[in-house]
Amino acid sequence: MIDELVSYNREFVKNKGYEKYITNKYPDKKIAIVSCMDTRLTELLPASLGIKNGDVKIIKNAGAIISHPFGSVIRSLMVAIYELGVVEVMIIGHTDCGAKHMNSSEMIEKMKERGIPQERIDMIRYCGINFESWLRGFETSEASVHETVEQIRNHPLIPSDITVRGFVIDSVTSELTPVE
Ligand SMILES: [Zn+2]
């Protein structure tokens, strides 16, 4: 498993496989993309948009959502905008997203099956974590993308000259549909 990847890496480096990927940290296209961690998109998303190493910043999580207004997605966008010259942000949800069906009570049951005691869950709830909103799914990919676009457009620390646009990508054909 991980060991396979590590030994592949030894060979890759030895054979200078990295040479054709050399670039710098600044995104040439000045775009940041927020998308889902779905494995169908790993190669398909960049290939279908014509993105190469060095072109864009890609921020991924389960569902392409912003679960907290000052969490890691916004933090990454702040770095991308203020430090790395990004001027356009693309939110790309996708069809058949696994995160859509997330349900906090089902996940809490799975945690308990895996040995997490109820007292610990209660304690975390007591500390202010709202499992219902933190581990929530969404109705449709379009609605979720729309909400994320609005969160970024209305964020108090993101400048108003940043363009934010939303899309849903087909997980099989890669066809992009704009979300208005
Ligand atoms: Zn997904």
Side-chain angles (χ1 to χ4, degrees):
M1 293 151 78
I2 291 177
D3 283 339
E4 272 176 55
L5 274 59
V6 173
S7 64
Y8 185 94
N9 173 261
R10 300 269 181 267
E11 283 301 302
F12 185 86
V13 174
K14 199 169 81 189
N15 299 329
K16 296 193 191 315
Y18 55 85
E19 280 182 339
K20 63 173 176 166
Y21 299 103
I22 292 174
T23 177
N24 63 44
K25 66 184 173 184
Y26 296 98
D28 294 335
K29 295 191 191 297
K30 301 187 189 303
I31 294 171
I33 294 176
V34 177
S35 191
C36 183
M37 66 183 192
D38 193 292
T39 44
R40 288 168 292 185
L41 303 179
T42 305
E43 288 185 280
L44 181 65
L45 185 134
S48 69
L49 298 175
I51 294 168
K52 295 187 184 60
N53 225 33
D55 280 348
V56 303
K57 295 290 163 192
I58 302 184
I59 302 154
K60 288 187 160 191
N61 64 28
I65 64 156
I66 293 171
S67 58
H68 191 285
F70 298 96
S72 71
V73 174
I74 293 291
R75 179 175 179 276
S76 300
L77 286 174
M78 304 282 284
V79 173
I81 292 166
Y82 290 112
E83 306 292 340
L84 302 170
V86 159
V87 295
E88 292 187 288
V89 178
M90 255 178 124
I91 311 304
I92 308 183
H94 67 110
T95 57
D96 187 36
C97 182
K100 177 181 169 181
H101 305 290
M102 274 175 67
N103 173 305
S104 61
S105 35
E106 283 174 19
M107 201 179 287
I108 286 170
E109 282 313 307
K110 288 176 188 167
M111 291 180 211
K112 289 198 254 177
E113 283 164 23
R114 296 287 294 273
I116 309 293
Q118 179 68 49
E119 307 82 73
R120 210 183 288 170
I121 292 163
D122 294 342
M123 185 189 75
I124 289 165
R125 210 186 279 282
Y126 182 73
C127 292
I129 296 298
N130 181 336
F131 284 100
E132 287 68 35
S133 66
W134 182 47
L135 300 176
R136 76 186 192 281
F138 44 81
E139 287 293 313
T140 66
S141 295
E142 288 76 11
S144 174
V145 166
H146 179 74
E147 186 186 336
T148 306
V149 167
E150 290 302 306
Q151 280 174 294
I152 297 171
R153 281 188 185 150
N154 298 322
H155 196 281
L157 302 180
I158 293 190
S160 56
D161 57 357
I162 297 293
T163 298
V164 188
R165 294 174 63 188
F167 299 86
V168 172
I169 191 169
D170 188 298
S171 301
V172 177
T173 69
S174 80
E175 185 178 8
L176 274 185
T177 305
V179 173
E180 301 308 338

